[in-house]
Amino acid sequence: MGSSSRSSRGGRGQASTKQMIESLRNHTVNTLTELCRIERVAVTAESEEEMQAFQEPLAAAWDYYVNSNQLLLELRGLTRNYPASSSLVEEARRLVGEDPTSSGSWNLAWLCLCKIRDTGLILTCAQTEAHKPEMWGGRYPSLEEAEQLTRCFVYEWSQAVDKMLRHWRSAPVWY
């Protein structure tokens, strides 16, 4: 047959790779699940050239995912009872920017989710949100009320972050 050995092995064609890269560049793919799917393809690229072709567009797509508030929207989709605070993502993004070890990954979303999980941001933001009068119809909550709401926030936000982090079997880092 006239088919290439590449297609007979079940490999991706050059056109498929180009389509994925183009979808990263024009942001037609901007969900955690889809970006992770393309990321898995990129890290298992069949050649160094193909892997290199994915690097910049993939990093830019993850930056766009976080900076366009899609990460926050997906977090809030998983925290319907106690919507995730925007300060979680904002503070995580700030911490990632200040962390010199963050350059070890191309994936801003993963870095932010790890910062949220590992630096105590969930508890800090939950406590701040739970004490806001706007959470209580304009009145200041009692200490017990604020503590109860804090526990609810912490539980739901932690579950959501853990669920999102399960998209990665291994850390998306440069080797």
Side-chain angles (χ1 to χ4, degrees):
M1 287 197 157
S3 67
S4 73
S5 63
R6 180 181 188 95
S7 63
S8 65
R9 290 181 303 176
R12 292 177 300 280
Q14 206 171 20
S16 176
T17 297
K18 285 182 180 181
Q19 282 180 318
M20 283 186 272
I21 290 169
E22 190 57 32
S23 71
L24 293 171
R25 285 196 171 116
N26 65 25
H27 310 298
T28 55
V29 171
N30 196 34
T31 66
L32 183 66
T33 301
E34 285 299 304
L35 288 169
C36 284
R37 181 186 64 78
I38 292 174
E39 185 174 72
R40 281 190 286 279
V41 168
V43 299
T44 60
E46 295 178 3
S47 70
E48 184 67 29
E49 181 182 324
E50 189 178 17
M51 197 177 290
Q52 295 257 323
F54 274 108
Q55 283 181 356
E56 183 277 326
L58 190 56
W62 282 118
D63 285 355
Y64 183 80
Y65 173 79
V66 173
N67 294 319
S68 69
N69 290 321
Q70 187 64 26
L71 173 60
L72 177 61
L73 289 173
E74 290 194 47
L75 261 175
R76 286 184 173 165
L78 296 170
T79 57
R80 293 185 195 277
N81 295 320
Y82 302 97
S85 170
S86 61
S87 61
L88 275 174
V89 175
E90 292 164 5
E91 187 62 15
R93 201 172 21 201
R94 185 187 68 74
L95 291 172
V96 167
E98 293 174 354
D99 184 353
T101 65
S102 293
S103 63
S105 178
W106 60 84
N107 190 321
L108 182 59
W110 178 79
L111 290 165
C112 286
L113 289 166
C114 288
K115 287 293 183 198
I116 290 169
R117 180 194 63 199
D118 298 341
T119 63
L121 276 180
I122 290 176
L123 179 59
T124 303
C125 291
Q127 289 170 329
T128 300
E129 292 297 312
H131 283 86
K132 289 182 176 178
E134 54 265 30
M135 292 291 183
W136 301 95
R139 70 174 178 81
Y140 287 92
S142 69
L143 187 55
E144 295 79 25
E145 289 172 325
E147 286 175 358
Q148 182 179 6
L149 184 55
T150 296
R151 284 191 299 275
C152 293
F153 283 148
V154 167
Y155 176 78
E156 190 155 303
W157 297 355
S158 296
Q159 295 289 100
V161 169
D162 288 344
K163 183 173 187 163
M164 292 179 88
L165 282 169
R166 283 196 293 268
H167 279 79
W168 292 276
R169 293 179 198 117
S170 59
V173 295
W174 305 114
Y175 296 104

